[in-house]
Amino acid sequence: MSAYVARTEKKLPFEVRPIDLEAGEQRMQPYQCRALTARVPALTHEGFNLTESSVIAEYLEDVFPAPEHAALYPQAIRERARARQLQAWLRSDLGALRQERPTETVWPAT
């Protein structure tokens, strides 16, 4: 979800390609050749492939910096660290809530 939010906040065009996790599509070709860790989500940008939501957001922040694009993180070091801490907490500690309210309730599949 955070990779989706990052691209949306920066107003970058992108294509969402659903992956059938129950069928294990993330471990099949051609997906795995783009996502070496077989994790979802994955980003492909100008032939460069990357997985892990937080890493994707940080990459987008570096490649599409402010002020040309919206900043994803505060500029001050401690505030930026606090924002990343909150991101990590949301990813790791809210598993039960994420299961109860899957991403489809926020962004329906198109």
Side-chain angles (χ1 to χ4, degrees):
M1 185 166 47
S2 61
Y4 182 94
V5 169
R7 291 201 69 141
T8 301
E9 286 296 313
K10 288 194 167 284
K11 296 182 178 14
L12 301 171
F14 62 97
E15 177 183 348
V16 175
R17 294 185 186 169
I19 301 296
D20 187 345
L21 299 176
E22 288 183 24
E25 188 176 352
Q26 72 276 19
R27 292 183 297 277
M28 299 176 194
Q29 298 301 334
Y31 187 82
Q32 194 170 20
C33 74
R34 291 190 313 271
L36 297 177
T37 60
R39 303 280 305 250
V40 175
L43 169 76
T44 299
H45 175 248
E46 297 180 353
F48 179 67
N49 301 304
L50 199 57
T51 58
E52 302 299 334
S53 295
S54 60
V55 176
I56 291 170
E58 290 182 25
Y59 173 80
L60 294 174
E61 186 76 333
D62 291 340
V63 175
F64 301 98
E68 296 85 20
H69 300 275
L72 299 177
Y73 300 97
Q75 192 170 25
I77 292 171
R78 289 183 176 182
E79 290 175 16
R80 189 168 54 247
R82 197 63 86 194
R84 288 178 173 147
Q85 175 183 320
L86 182 58
Q87 268 187 312
W89 176 71
L90 290 170
R91 272 193 315 277
S92 63
D93 291 0
L94 297 181
L97 179 62
R98 288 181 18 224
Q99 283 184 334
E100 180 182 315
R101 296 170 193 217
T103 342
E104 291 81 17
T105 63
V106 179
W107 293 288
T110 56

